[in-house]
Amino acid sequence: MLHIDYHEIANNAKKIKSKCNTPLCAVVKSDAYGHGAVRTVSVLDGIADCFAVATVAEAVEVAPYTQSDIAVLTPVYSVDELCLASKHNLVLTICNEESLRAAVGCVLPIRCQIKVDSGMSRLGFRREDLPAVCEATKSCQSLHPIGVFSHLWGERKNDVSRQLAYFNQCADLCMQALGKRLCIHIANTNAAINLPQTRLDMVRVGLGLYGYGDDDLVPAKTVTAPVIAVRRVKRYDVLGYGGKNRAKRDEFVAVVQSGYANGLARTLVGGTVLVGKNHATVGGVCMGMTLLETGDYLPHVGESATLLGKGVNPSNLHTIVYELLCNLR
């Protein structure tokens, strides 16, 4: 069972804005990390200063629910999408030659941001590319740049400092070449909360909205599953398929009605969840069922297991909470 507390999403956004004292771009891509983009935008409208999505289709879906800017973070190439972007006054990302060529070739007015590759090697221009990019942008009367941004790839201060210094140089270059002030932003949740020097003109926060990244934030999404059977197993008994996962001791096992078909990855074996108020270990994940080792605690059929939520985050070296939020339901 899935429950989302949208009041907590709004509260988290307010806490982040208060702490950063900087305009907030709320990242609601991929259905707001599995929280429902339309509902999330609706509750954040008037709190967030703008929104970020991954595609034009996502932007069009949420556009009726806010008057704020909506930025599309991935490149757009097709004429149809460029027309939609112009119609809805979206902010597109110019991040490579192809996206620049498509935007320049569109006769309709297009607002855009220039993305800088400050070290992630995913999307964006390097510093040496920017003079030509700015010249092409400036010479196109229908193209209206409003920002420059990049994406942090790490959390260590030294890594962030190097990226930030490079990005600031690139942003300055763009503003000088275009002869105008642009909104510059790079900070994600971790940087926005912990590294004030990264806040710049705006912070671009996703994970923090949904309750992760700081102890003051509250997870908004809770995923539960009912116990449908209870077993007593002996040490080394097989748990689920393959024979690799085995009971560590004589103990009780709760079988719950959720599995990898519901987004509970098999890599979560060994993660900690709750059965009732008692800690349990993920022992084996099947398609529609999961075995939870409850030790000496005897669960009962019908009891609720919490797989993700307040105090429950079973992510490990093989997965991250982003993945759980997007997939678990």
Side-chain angles (χ1 to χ4, degrees):
M1 181 180 293
L2 171 65
H3 173 73
I4 297 171
D5 189 335
Y6 291 96
H7 179 70
E8 293 295 0
I9 294 178
N11 280 342
N12 289 333
K14 291 174 183 176
K15 290 174 183 176
I16 292 166
K17 281 198 74 172
S18 176
K19 186 162 189 172
C20 294
N21 194 28
T22 309
L24 169 67
C25 176
V27 183
V28 294
K29 64 182 180 179
S30 302
D31 201 30
Y33 293 29
H35 292 74
V38 167
R39 286 287 304 276
T40 300
V41 169
S42 297
V43 300
L44 291 180
D45 190 37
I47 301 172
D49 298 277
C50 64
F51 294 91
V53 297
T55 65
V56 170
E58 289 182 348
V60 170
E61 180 185 20
V62 301
Y65 302 93
T66 181
Q67 296 299 311
S68 299
D69 282 348
I70 304 172
V72 178
L73 299 180
T74 56
V76 174
Y77 306 122
S78 78
V79 173
D80 288 346
E81 287 190 319
L82 287 165
C83 291
L84 278 174
S86 182
K87 176 183 176 181
H88 290 279
N89 202 28
L90 306 179
V91 181
L92 297 188
T93 291
I94 305 300
C95 61
N96 56 17
E97 291 182 7
E98 293 82 1
S99 60
L100 176 61
R101 190 181 309 119
V104 168
C106 182
V107 297
L108 298 172
I110 295 289
R111 294 194 301 154
C112 69
Q113 300 184 93
I114 298 170
K115 182 160 191 182
V116 170
D117 177 10
S118 59
M120 195 172 179
S121 305
R122 189 171 65 175
L123 295 175
F125 295 102
R126 299 294 289 172
R127 181 170 48 202
E128 58 268 23
D129 303 320
L130 291 173
V133 172
C134 291
E135 179 59 33
T137 302
K138 190 175 182 179
S139 64
C140 180
Q141 293 184 352
S142 61
L143 197 55
H144 306 287
I146 65 169
V148 182
F149 75 106
S150 191
H151 200 104
L152 293 171
W153 59 264
E155 295 186 356
R156 293 186 306 178
K157 288 185 178 180
N158 288 341
D159 294 330
V160 171
S161 294
R162 283 194 292 270
Q163 271 197 272
L164 181 61
Y166 180 86
F167 171 65
N168 282 334
Q169 293 173 8
C170 292
D172 287 343
L173 188 158
C174 288
M175 288 188 285
Q176 291 172 13
L178 293 170
K180 62 186 294 189
R181 176 68 192 177
L182 301 171
C183 177
I184 60 173
H185 53 104
I186 192 172
N188 56 14
T189 295
N190 177 72
I193 290 172
N194 299 308
L195 300 171
Q197 69 272 28
T198 68
R199 293 170 187 167
L200 304 177
D201 295 330
M202 182 170 68
V203 295
R204 199 175 63 247
V205 173
L207 190 65
L209 300 175
Y210 311 114
Y212 297 85
D214 189 75
D215 291 340
D216 195 35
L217 305 175
V218 179
K221 185 175 187 177
T222 302
V223 180
T224 61
V227 175
I228 59 173
V230 178
R231 315 288 293 181
R232 179 71 180 177
V233 299
K234 295 184 178 299
R235 188 181 185 189
Y236 301 129
D237 278 356
V238 171
L239 301 177
Y241 290 110
K244 183 178 179 180
N245 304 322
R246 295 174 180 265
K248 301 172 186 63
R249 51 177 286 195
D250 293 359
E251 61 181 347
F252 292 105
V253 168
V255 182
V256 299
Q257 197 164 26
S258 182
Y260 55 77
N262 311 98
L264 189 68
R266 295 179 70 199
T267 55
L268 290 176
V269 169
T272 301
V273 296
L274 292 177
V275 176
K277 295 182 179 180
N278 301 274
H279 290 288
T281 302
V282 179
V285 180
C286 307
M287 184 181 293
M289 292 179 281
T290 295
L291 286 70
L292 303 179
E293 300 173 75
T294 62
D296 294 328
Y297 173 66
L298 174 60
H300 62 267
V301 170
E303 193 167 7
S304 181
T306 303
L307 306 177
L308 182 69
K310 297 177 183 178
V312 181
N313 173 13
S315 59
N316 54 33
L317 291 175
H318 303 289
T319 188
I320 53 177
V321 71
Y322 294 85
E323 197 170 10
L324 300 184
L325 290 172
C326 289
N327 294 336
L328 264 177
R329 58 194 184 278

